[in-house]
């Protein structure tokens, strides 16, 4: 205030936190401040979206004729997506904008987490050593869960709004528990932090397991004995003062790498590759789409699309004759039901592909008026992306159109081979199903019927063989052989028969053929096993299929932190 030649005191300030009907108060404050030369702070304007047009008019009204010392400060939470950008353009254009960027990297995140406290915080608990150790571990935990999201689906299946409020409340709970008990209640602390403070944000079961595993690794009795490493080469520090902890971070924290999060270095390669692909895709989409770039460019575009759709129509096989197939079936076993369902869904997809391509072909010849759907299809073909109408009838996939169509033809070929006599193939391509869960359930149903076991008391046992698809000539008597699985975050050691660390630059190594059979739940042996989730694509999350127990000599927590999963497509 003094630098502006303006004497500031609390009477000159109007601080309004918006929401709960405070809009009238805000308008009165603006009118008074404009007249008297006061300052107005409007907090949380993202909570009053409908009032923002009135605010824009009010600010425009006071932009002329108001006191020269009149100032307005506005704050809002960042919007989670472009569709949530609600602040009027007029306000943004006439403002000096300041954003608080979230820190990037473990070094900055750990300093930022520690900045929420002070020397007074470290001295406020009677159990000083325990309090300081656990507080630092919580700061590291907060930094890890906040920054891990940059690794995409291998980091977290879904994105969560973890905030510094979660950290400060967790430390308050820690203080209260230590003051009330002479012993450190590790289990209680892990539960409150992992299931309530941070876990309250988490909606995915596998992400909840990840959060719980971090806390089991960071908050345990060994932390007070100087035997705990928060990351490779980064031991939990001993009893220090506040500035000492900041200095320890600068001196001891290793350089930024996926190891700090428990991930394999390949996770960074995958994350950077995906980011690059998104950038290049955006650049490609910026190309002109009409004839403004010249008749030659437009002609080339139409020629490319015409050639592509003609090739697709030529390669696309006829639909499955369901009536004929059902007449061939002697007994409707669970396996034949799955095969017929897959044929039905494939027919729906190929019919839409054939219809839309034929329609576009007529449009490009000038025999039909081009509609918005036809233009959208044309753009997708030219940009090598799967058209929306095909995707709705299809299966989850992250592939480009060329790869997707080749994959579609391979799926049709597999179905044709299976439906010739409906005998189970020697090995099943699990990734080739619209609904992989259906064939896995069929394995359990077949075994349950044969042995007269209750279906709800059964589970699937997974045995990884040392062989490839070509080594199998016939299906097993019970269960099924499955091929086409990939592992992300680690690899399968076929000689030792266990999960082991991935090789550098091998992001998704292929698995050998897997033998899957159904067994009663009480016969399942979970010792030395890592419960590994199976997903349809690298997007993970909603593409979850099943959980297979895989053998491991390492502690399963290592693979949880590394985000190890099986995939049906890469």
């Amino acid at each position: 205030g003094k630098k502006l030649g303006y004497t500031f005191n609390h009477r000159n300030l109007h601080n309004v936190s918006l929401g709960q009907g405070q809009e009238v108060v805000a308008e009165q404050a603006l009118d008074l401040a404009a007249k008297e030369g006061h300052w107005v702070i409007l907090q949380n304007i993202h909570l009053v979206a409908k009032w923002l047009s009135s605010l824009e008019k009010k600010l425009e009204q006071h932009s002329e004729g108001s006191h020269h010392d009149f100032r307005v400060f506005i704050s809002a939470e960042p919007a989670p997506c472009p569709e949530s950008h609600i602040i009027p353009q007029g306000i943004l254009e006439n403002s000096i904008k300041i954003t608080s960027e979230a820190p990037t990297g473990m070094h900055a995140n750990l300093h930022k987490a520690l900045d929420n406290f002070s020397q007074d915080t470290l001295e406020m608990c009677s159990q000083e050593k325990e309090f300081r150790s656990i507080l630092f571990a919580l700061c590291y935990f907060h930094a890890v869960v906040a920054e891990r999201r940059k690794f995409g689906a291998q980091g977290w299946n879904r994105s969560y709004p973890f905030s510094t409020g979660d950290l400060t409340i967790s430390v308050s709970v820690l203080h209260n528990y230590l003051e009330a008990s002479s012993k450190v209640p590790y289990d209680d602390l892990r539960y409150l932090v992992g299931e309530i403070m941070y876990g309250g944000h988490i909606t995915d079961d596998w992400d909840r397991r990840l959060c719980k595993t971090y806390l089991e690794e960071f908050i345990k009795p060994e932390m007070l004995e100087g035997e705990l490493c928060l990351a490779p080469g980064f031991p939990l520090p001993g009893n220090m003062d506040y500035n000492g902890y900041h200095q320890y971070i600068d001196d001891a924290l290793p350089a930024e790498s996926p190891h700090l999060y428990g991930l394999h270095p390949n996770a960074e390669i995958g994350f950077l590759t995906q980011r690059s692909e998104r950038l290049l895709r955006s650049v490609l989409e910026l190309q002109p789409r009409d004839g403004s770039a010249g008749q030659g460019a437009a002609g080339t575009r139409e020629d490319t699309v015409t050639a592509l759709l003609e090739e697709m129509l030529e390669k696309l096989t006829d639909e499955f004759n369901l009536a004929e197939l059902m007449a061939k079936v002697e007994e409707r076993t669970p396996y034949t039901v799955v095969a017929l369902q897959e044929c039905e869904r494939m027919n729906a997809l190929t019919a839409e592909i054939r219809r839309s391509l034929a329609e576009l072909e007529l449009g490009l010849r000038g025999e039909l008026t081009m509609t918005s759907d036809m233009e959208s299809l044309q753009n997708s073909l030219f940009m090598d992306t799967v058209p929306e109408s095909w995707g709705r009838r299809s299966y989850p996939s992250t592939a480009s159109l060329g790869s997707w169509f080749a994959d579609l033809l391979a799926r049709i070929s597999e179905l044709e081979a299976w439906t010739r006599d409906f005998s189970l193939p020697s090995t099943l391509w699990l990734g080739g199903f619209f609904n992989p869960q259906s064939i896995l359930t069929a394995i359990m149903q077949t075994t349950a019927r044969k042995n007269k076991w209750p279906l709800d008391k059964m589970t699937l046992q997974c045995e990884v063989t040392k062989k490839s698809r070509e080594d199998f000539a016939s299906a097993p008597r019970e269960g099924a052989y499955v091929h086409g699985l990939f592992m992300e975050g680690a690899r399968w050691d076929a000689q030792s028969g266990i999960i082991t660390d991935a090789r550098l630059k091998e992001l998704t190594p292929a698995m050998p053929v897997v033998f899957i059979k159904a067994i009663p739940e009480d016969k399942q042996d979970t010792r030395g096993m890592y419960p590994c989730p199976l997903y349809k694509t690298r997007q993970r999350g909603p593409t979850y299929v099943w959980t297979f127990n895989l053998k491991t000599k390492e502690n399963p927590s290592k693979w949880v932190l590394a985000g190890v999963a099986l995939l049906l497509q890469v």
Side-chain angles (χ1 to χ4, degrees), residues 324-361:
E324 194 177 289
L325 290 176
M326 290 176 78
K328 271 203 291 184
V329 174
E330 295 174 4
E331 182 188 357
R332 284 178 72 88
T333 66
Y335 293 134
T336 57
V337 170
V338 170
L340 291 169
Q341 286 174 345
E342 290 291 314
C343 289
E344 192 175 342
R345 294 188 68 173
M346 185 60 77
N347 279 354
L349 174 57
T350 54
E352 171 59 21
I353 293 173
R354 193 174 284 106
R355 181 204 65 78
S356 58
L357 288 177
E359 186 180 68
L360 178 59
E361 190 173 29

Side-chain angles (χ1 to χ4, degrees), residues 305 309 356-364 370 374 377 381:
V305 171
L309 70 84
S356 58
L357 288 177
E359 186 180 68
L360 178 59
E361 190 173 29
L362 292 173
L364 292 173
M370 289 287 283
M374 290 158 71
L377 175 60
L381 294 178

Side-chain angles (χ1 to χ4, degrees), residues 103-106 109 140-160 162 206-207 209-211 213-214 218 256-264 267-268 271 488-489 530 540 557-565:
T104 57
M106 272 301 299
N109 268 281
Y140 191 86
F141 166 74
H142 176 81
V144 163
V145 298
E147 188 65 5
R148 186 180 168 108
R149 67 170 71 106
K150 76 179 182 182
F151 295 101
Q154 197 176 348
W156 294 101
N157 275 350
R158 303 175 192 275
S159 185
Y160 302 110
F162 299 125
W206 298 104
D207 287 342
R209 179 181 75 163
L210 173 62
C211 180
T213 304
Y214 268 130
F218 294 162
E256 180 71 19
S257 82
H259 287 303
L260 298 178
Y261 309 87
L263 290 159
H264 189 274
E268 188 166 42
F271 142 70
E488 185 176 39
Y530 166 61
R540 302 195 180 193
S557 63
K558 173 178 178 175
W559 311 122
V560 173
L561 301 186
V564 174

Side-chain angles (χ1 to χ4, degrees), residues 123-351:
E123 294 171 355
M124 72 182 187
C125 184
S126 55
Q127 296 192 58
E128 201 168 280
K129 181 184 177 185
E130 292 84 352
F131 180 72
R132 292 186 181 196
S133 293
I134 298 175
L135 184 147
F136 191 90
L138 283 173
C139 287
Y140 191 86
F141 166 74
H142 176 81
V144 163
V145 298
E147 188 65 5
R148 186 180 168 108
R149 67 170 71 106
K150 76 179 182 182
F151 295 101
Q154 197 176 348
W156 294 101
N157 275 350
R158 303 175 192 275
S159 185
Y160 302 110
F162 299 125
S163 67
T164 52
D166 301 321
L167 174 61
T168 52
I169 293 170
S170 297
V171 170
S172 297
V173 168
L174 166 66
H175 172 257
N176 293 339
Y177 265 74
L178 291 181
E179 289 297 314
S181 172
S182 58
K183 289 185 177 180
V184 180
Y186 291 102
D187 290 340
D188 292 355
L189 289 171
R190 284 194 297 260
Y191 181 84
L192 288 166
V193 175
E195 298 289 339
I196 299 172
M197 308 309 175
Y198 286 82
H201 299 293
I202 297 173
T203 56
D204 182 276
D205 289 341
W206 298 104
D207 287 342
R208 191 174 296 279
R209 179 181 75 163
L210 173 62
C211 180
K212 181 182 173 186
T213 304
Y214 268 130
L215 289 166
E216 287 170 352
E217 292 296 305
F218 294 162
I219 300 178
K220 53 187 178 181
E222 291 88 328
M223 67 192 311
L224 301 178
E225 298 161 14
E227 299 175 3
L228 179 67
C229 278
L230 297 171
F234 189 59
L236 181 72
N239 204 341
M240 299 180 179
D241 63 13
Y242 182 71
N243 291 329
Y245 282 125
H246 275 297
Q247 189 62 45
Y248 179 77
I249 295 169
D250 288 334
D251 296 342
L253 186 67
E256 180 71 19
S257 82
H259 287 303
L260 298 178
Y261 309 87
L263 290 159
H264 189 274
N266 283 349
E268 188 166 42
I269 298 172
F271 142 70
L272 292 172
T273 302
Q274 288 174 20
R275 178 186 281 184
S276 302
E277 286 173 353
R278 281 198 300 270
L279 175 63
L280 292 171
R281 173 68 59 188
S282 300
V283 171
L284 189 62
E285 287 173 356
L286 292 173
Q287 288 188 124
R289 298 187 180 185
D290 53 25
S292 59
Q295 290 300 315
T300 305
R301 181 188 178 90
E302 287 193 5
D303 293 344
T304 303
V305 171
T306 302
L308 183 58
L309 70 84
E310 285 175 355
E311 183 187 354
M312 284 182 161
L313 285 170
E314 185 184 336
K315 288 183 177 179
L316 203 60
T317 57
D318 293 334
E319 293 176 19
F320 290 95
N321 188 327
L322 291 175
E324 194 177 289
L325 290 176
M326 290 176 78
K328 271 203 291 184
V329 174
E330 295 174 4
E331 182 188 357
R332 284 178 72 88
T333 66
Y335 293 134
T336 57
V337 170
V338 170
L340 291 169
Q341 286 174 345
E342 290 291 314
C343 289
E344 192 175 342
R345 294 188 68 173
M346 185 60 77
N347 279 354
L349 174 57
T350 54

Side-chain angles (χ1 to χ4, degrees), residues 364-383:
L364 292 173
R365 284 185 197 157
E367 296 176 24
L368 273 181
T369 304
M370 289 287 283
T371 64
S372 59
D373 287 343
M374 290 158 71
E375 286 178 0
S376 177
L377 175 60
Q378 183 183 5
N379 286 331
S380 295
L381 294 178
F382 186 73
M383 305 294 284

